[in-house]
Amino acid sequence: AQTVTQSQPEMSVQEAETVTLSCTYDTSESNYYLFWYKQPPSRQMILVIRQEAYKQQNATENRFSVNFQKAAKSFSLKISDSQLGDTAMYFCAFPRSPYGGATNKLIFGTGTLLAVQP
Amino acid sequence: DTAVSQTPKYLVTQMGNDKSIKCEQNLGHDTMYWYKQDSKKFLKIMFSYNNKELIINETVPNRFSPKSPDKAHLNLHINSLELGDSAVYFCASSPDRGSGNTIYFGEGSWLTVV
């Protein structure tokens, strides 16, 4: 069964510092996608970053980057120069569907609540 | 312009009532979804439609009935509401049904059953 685990229910970071949120997953597929979504207090689910497993290079979006370790099945999110607006719940997500499959069932981890302190 | 919009955003209703949540996307996507987020923030897929065709139907009570009049709209009707139905319901869409597509979410509809 495919699962997604986020072992840090809550984290705190000072403004301008760097923080890393961890995510591990389990799959028997050789190729797949991985996602990080954020959910600020407004509740909107917003895509932060997307990674394709066959790509060696870690995905980067401005201050957000991932450390993708395929062998270890680890997909951590690094936030550099943290800003107050980064305060949110962060969810790691993984499609419970075969790569290239005809349905797209995202399964989500339990989330990490990140608080950025001024 | 909101890409995925859903109404109402907040809904408080009594047990036993029937209610609907409407969703529209203006992204030109083929595939739409309903996700449920419970009080512990756990998100789980309920349904997915592709071009008006139901393609994902998770283990959801049959009191929940989705309807897609066209590929830009996906509504959720809930009969005989129960306390346990209290949750945030998210509508979402993706370009097509393929695995790995980015899913774009609406702002959520917060349903409280009293």
Side-chain angles (χ1 to χ4, degrees):
Chain A
Q2 291 154 322
T3 59
V4 179
T5 302
Q6 294 180 250
S7 58
Q8 305 151 314
E10 295 184 22
M11 293 190 74
S12 181
V13 64
Q14 291 296 123
E15 203 174 0
E17 292 188 350
T18 295
V19 63
T20 299
L21 311 183
S22 66
C23 173
T24 58
Y25 57 94
D26 188 26
T27 182
S28 57
E29 300 284 329
S30 59
N31 203 4
Y32 42 87
Y33 299 88
L34 291 157
F35 301 85
W36 278 98
Y37 280 85
K38 70 181 272 190
Q39 186 177 38
S42 66
R43 293 203 322 267
Q44 173 99 46
M45 292 289 291
I46 303 165
L47 177 71
V48 175
I49 206 161
R50 176 178 183 261
Q51 172 84 41
E52 291 191 65
Y54 77 89
K55 289 187 175 177
Q56 302 286 344
Q57 191 171 8
N58 289 325
T60 298
E61 287 288 342
N62 301 314
R63 297 181 296 105
F64 298 87
S65 61
V66 300
N67 182 5
F68 174 50
Q69 303 286 334
K70 191 174 182 181
K73 296 180 181 175
S74 170
F75 181 58
S76 59
L77 176 70
K78 185 170 93 170
I79 306 174
S80 304
D81 186 25
S82 296
Q83 300 176 0
L84 296 178
D86 295 333
T87 292
M89 181 77 93
Y90 287 81
F91 293 95
C92 179
F94 178 85
R96 195 182 71 210
S97 317
Y99 181 78
T103 58
N104 192 9
K105 294 184 188 182
L106 263 190
I107 56 171
F108 287 84
T110 49
T112 296
L113 182 59
L114 176 67
V116 180
Q117 307 291 346
Chain B
D1 286 343
T2 305
V4 181
S5 59
Q6 45 185 117
T7 55
K9 288 188 170 41
Y10 300 95
L11 183 56
V12 181
T13 189
Q14 291 188 326
M15 282 176 55
N17 284 349
D18 303 338
K19 291 293 177 187
S20 293
I21 306 172
K22 295 185 176 182
C23 179
E24 176 182 3
Q25 54 95 5
N26 63 5
L27 296 167
H29 289 170
D30 286 346
T31 308
M32 295 186 72
Y33 310 82
W34 279 109
Y35 276 81
K36 178 181 179 180
Q37 186 174 42
D38 64 22
S39 58
K40 296 184 178 178
K41 302 282 191 179
F42 184 65
L43 264 161
K44 188 175 179 185
I45 189 168
M46 300 172 70
F47 303 103
S48 177
Y49 272 73
N50 185 70
N51 273 323
K52 302 191 295 178
E53 176 195 358
L54 179 66
I55 58 171
I56 295 175
N57 186 353
E58 292 291 283
T59 308
V60 177
N62 58 15
R63 298 182 295 103
F64 290 79
S65 53
K67 280 191 173 54
S68 182
D70 56 61
K71 74 174 193 177
H73 295 84
L74 179 61
N75 304 321
L76 182 65
H77 188 75
I78 315 171
N79 290 326
S80 303
L81 278 156
E82 300 177 356
L83 293 176
D85 298 332
S86 295
V88 182
Y89 293 86
F90 285 95
C91 179
S93 71
S94 63
D96 59 52
R97 61 191 292 174
S99 172
N101 268 300
T102 296
I103 293 180
Y104 298 83
F105 286 83
E107 294 179 332
S109 294
W110 197 327
L111 172 65
T112 302
V113 182
V114 296

